[in-house]
């Protein structure tokens, strides 16, 4: 009986031992699965954390960029406003300058009209068919060039009677234009002067100019404040002095009828003040 009990007990222990090993094996299998899942989850977690860190850094960069963009936008808005104001001021300035230019052009046009009328009057008075008298306009100035033989004898500075008739016609026109000045300009050729009274061609050209100026003042009543006498000697020739014809052409007197410079500047200043 005891033997039977022992055998049953031994069989029970054997069965129990086999069941425990199987259970342990199952538990170890599940533990491995759980460990694998844990490792996989840990890896995914670390990956997510790394991605989160990268995204946070990106978000910080975006925030910084956004802040910079906002600042840039504000600065651009400020600059745009200032730029618009600057452009507006520039346009106003251009309009003012255009108006000034327009007024000055009108003034120049009026002056040119007066000059043209003056040229026509002088040509009609002195005769345009005389080759020894030339009337032209350069830069708003009327030039009356009179050959030496019509005004003076060779080497002299006393005005001839025939010349006084020509000067009288010019004087009548000049006198009728109080806003103009009259400059008499003497020119000679390059042949040295042989005269005990005159030092050189400079002296001859100046004395011829002053002789004409005195006639315009004393004989024809032109205000001496409007008269200018100048001598250019031989130094502004029209042509070469190597021929007789060339020297004859260079011996001349020019009468310049020109606007008074002070009045011209006053006109400009007045136009400028009108724009303020």
């Amino acid at each position: 009986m005891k033997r039977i009990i022992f055998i049953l007990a031994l069989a029970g222990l054997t069965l129990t031992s086999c069941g425990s090993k199987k259970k342990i094996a199952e538990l170890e299998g599940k533990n491995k699965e759980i460990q694998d899942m844990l490792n996989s989850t840990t890896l995914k977690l670390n990956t997510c954390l790394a991605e989160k860190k990268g995204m946070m850094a990106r978000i910080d960069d975006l925030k910084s960029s956004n802040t910079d963009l906002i600042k840039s936008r504000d600065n651009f808005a400020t600059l745009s406003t200032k730029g618009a104001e600057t452009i507006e001021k520039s346009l106003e300035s251009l309009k003012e300058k255009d108006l000034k230019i327009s007024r000055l052009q009108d003034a120049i046009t009026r002056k040119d009209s007066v000059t043209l009328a003056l040229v026509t009057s002088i040509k009609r008075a002195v005769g345009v068919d005389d080759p020894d008298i030339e009337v032209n306009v350069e830069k708003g100035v009327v030039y009356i060039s009179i050959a030496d033989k019509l005004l003076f004898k060779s080497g002299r500075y006393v005005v001839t009677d025939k010349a006084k008739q020509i000067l009288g016609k010019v004087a009548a026109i000049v006198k009728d234009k109080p806003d103009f000045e009259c400059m008499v300009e003497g020119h000679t050729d390059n042949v040295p002067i042989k005269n005990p009274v005159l030092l050189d061609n400079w002296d001859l050209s100046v004395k011829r100019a002053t002789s004409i100026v005195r006639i315009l003042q004393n004989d024809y009543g032109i205000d001496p404040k409007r008269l200018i006498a100048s001598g250019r000697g031989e130094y502004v020739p029209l042509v070469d002095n190597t021929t007789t014809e060339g020297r004859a052409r260079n011996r001349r007197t020019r009468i310049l009828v020109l606007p008074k410079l002070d009045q011209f500047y006053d006109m400009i200043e007045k136009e400028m003040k009108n724009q303020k």
Side-chain angles (χ1 to χ4, degrees), residues 178-190:
D179 293 335
F180 285 75
E181 292 181 326
C182 181
M183 182 169 73
V184 180
E185 191 178 79
H187 296 262
T188 69
D189 57 25
N190 65 343

Side-chain angles (χ1 to χ4, degrees), residues 52-171:
K52 178 184 177 182
K53 184 178 180 180
M55 292 183 68
M56 292 300 295
R58 179 61 179 163
I59 289 172
D60 290 338
D61 290 341
L62 290 173
K63 286 182 178 179
S64 178
S65 299
N66 187 54
T67 302
D68 292 339
L69 287 172
I70 291 173
K71 289 181 179 178
S72 298
R73 182 198 63 189
D74 294 339
N75 291 335
F76 181 75
T78 301
L79 290 174
S80 297
T81 301
K82 291 182 179 179
E85 292 175 353
T86 301
I87 292 173
E88 186 176 355
K89 289 181 180 178
S90 298
L91 289 174
E92 290 178 356
S93 178
L94 285 174
K95 289 180 180 178
E96 290 178 359
K97 289 181 180 179
D98 287 341
L99 186 56
K100 291 177 184 178
I101 292 172
S102 178
R103 292 194 176 208
L104 289 175
Q105 286 176 337
D106 289 342
I108 291 172
T109 300
R110 291 195 301 271
K111 181 180 72 65
D112 289 343
S113 297
V114 173
T115 301
L116 180 60
L118 181 61
V119 170
T120 303
S121 299
I122 292 174
K123 285 185 175 181
R124 187 184 302 113
V126 300
V128 294
D129 295 330
D130 193 332
D132 294 320
I133 301 175
E134 295 180 3
V135 182
N136 53 52
V137 179
E138 296 179 17
K139 297 180 180 180
V141 178
V142 180
Y143 293 85
I144 308 167
S145 183
I146 305 174
D148 172 74
K149 63 183 180 181
L150 294 182
L151 298 174
F152 308 99
K153 293 181 180 180
S154 179
R156 300 290 185 90
Y157 55 88
V158 177
V159 180
T160 65
D161 292 337
K162 182 179 180 180
K164 289 182 180 180
Q165 296 176 4
I166 298 173
L167 293 176
K169 295 177 180 179
V170 175

